[in-house]
Amino acid sequence: MNEKLTNYLNGIFSPYEDLHGVKDLKEELFIDLNEKLSDLKAQGYDDEAAYRMTVSSLGDVSEIIESITSKTRELQQMIGMDFSKINLQNSDFKDVKVHDGKFNYSALKGSDFSGADLTNSTFKCSDLTNVKFDGANLTGAKIIKSSLKEASFKNCVFDRTDFSSSDLSGICFDNQTFIGTIFDYSGLKRTSFKNAVFKNVSFKTVTKKAIFDGATMDKLTYAVLKGSHANLTNVTVI
């Protein structure tokens, strides 16, 4: 690789190094431009002329970069933003990063948060009907007093997630791991926790009709559930 060309490209891409998708573009351009430089030299151009022609052929890279990263920049600006009291039904929030965001009293029915990082974000009194959280990071998130009918939570991170006073009836949490999660005063009728793992989880609510078949839990969580008359027939205590 021509060192001068390498330094030139590094200078162009330096403001965008942290943006998703730019790394691949940079690597492709490195390869293509180096091949072009070699071809020009093979045609008889000296080093300086070949370099100038190669760089000139590159065009406005910043325009290309802005085009492929516009969505990334927009999503990065969402950190800590307030989306409360907004109609956001059927919105596409897949793979967004919204730390400390607020979605309180918002209409989010049918929205997709698959793969999103929602660390410490708050959903209070929100309509989360049929919302997809599959693969989302819900560490420290507060989903309080919200409607979650037919919501999906496959492969989520539930560390210290707070579901207090939310209706989780019929929700499937099978095979999930819950650490410090809070289900106080939540509706858990027919909520399924089959083969789930519980560590220091709070259940100050009615659990008689929740399903814990095959679950594994620490002694404290087991004691709380037993006290609320949950069916713990096929549960492993660790």
Side-chain angles (χ1 to χ4, degrees), residues 204-221:
K204 294 179 181 178
T205 189
V206 178
T207 59
K208 289 178 65 175
K209 295 188 178 181
I211 304 166
F212 294 96
D213 190 48
T216 300
M217 59 189 68
D218 64 292
K219 293 180 180 179
L220 290 175
T221 303

Side-chain angles (χ1 to χ4, degrees), residues 9-229:
L9 287 176
N10 283 339
I12 291 177
F13 280 88
S14 60
Y16 310 97
E17 289 292 344
D18 294 332
L19 298 182
H20 178 72
V22 169
K23 183 179 179 180
D24 291 339
L25 174 63
K26 180 180 176 181
E27 291 176 352
E28 290 177 10
L29 284 175
F30 264 100
I31 295 171
D32 292 344
L33 293 179
N34 196 48
E35 289 180 353
K36 185 174 185 63
L37 185 66
S38 297
D39 288 342
L40 290 170
K41 287 183 179 181
Q43 294 174 31
Y45 293 97
D46 60 34
D47 289 350
E48 187 60 31
Y51 172 77
R52 287 199 307 270
M53 294 173 70
T54 300
V55 170
S56 297
S57 71
L58 191 56
D60 191 350
V61 176
S62 61
E63 185 176 328
I64 300 173
I65 296 173
E66 290 295 340
S67 174
I68 69 171
T69 63
S70 58
K71 184 177 181 181
T72 302
R73 286 185 180 280
E74 178 182 347
L75 298 181
Q76 287 181 335
Q77 293 172 1
M78 288 184 176
I79 299 174
M81 286 188 66
D82 192 342
F83 301 90
S84 300
K85 300 179 182 179
I86 300 176
N87 186 351
L88 298 168
Q89 294 186 66
N90 301 308
S91 294
D92 181 1
F93 291 109
K94 287 184 289 187
D95 300 314
V96 300
K97 180 178 180 180
V98 190
H99 284 198
D100 302 294
K102 293 180 176 61
F103 296 87
N104 303 324
Y105 307 96
S106 295
L108 288 159
K109 183 177 181 179
S111 293
D112 192 347
F113 286 93
S114 297
D117 184 351
L118 300 168
T119 299
N120 296 324
S121 289
T122 303
F123 297 81
K124 182 179 179 181
C125 300
S126 296
D127 181 4
L128 302 175
T129 303
N130 201 34
V131 169
K132 185 179 291 186
F133 289 100
D134 296 349
N137 182 354
L138 297 173
T139 298
K142 298 185 186 320
I143 305 176
I144 302 171
K145 297 180 180 178
S146 294
S147 173
L148 289 153
K149 184 178 181 180
E150 298 182 1
S152 179
F153 290 94
K154 298 177 182 177
N155 303 314
C156 290
V157 177
F158 292 110
D159 294 359
R160 305 186 315 281
T161 308
D162 189 347
F163 287 104
S164 293
S165 302
S166 287
D167 185 5
L168 299 168
S169 299
I171 298 296
C172 178
F173 288 114
D174 294 351
N175 307 302
Q176 305 280 351
T177 297
F178 301 92
I179 301 175
T181 314
I182 301 171
F183 292 99
D184 295 352
Y185 313 110
S186 295
L188 297 176
K189 186 177 181 180
R190 298 187 308 279
T191 304
S192 181
F193 295 100
K194 292 180 180 178
N195 303 310
V197 177
F198 299 95
K199 297 179 181 179
N200 299 318
V201 176
S202 180
F203 283 98
K204 294 179 181 178
T205 189
V206 178
T207 59
K208 289 178 65 175
K209 295 188 178 181
I211 304 166
F212 294 96
D213 190 48
T216 300
M217 59 189 68
D218 64 292
K219 293 180 180 179
L220 290 175
T221 303
Y222 179 83
V224 171
L225 288 172
K226 184 178 180 180
S228 62
H229 306 291

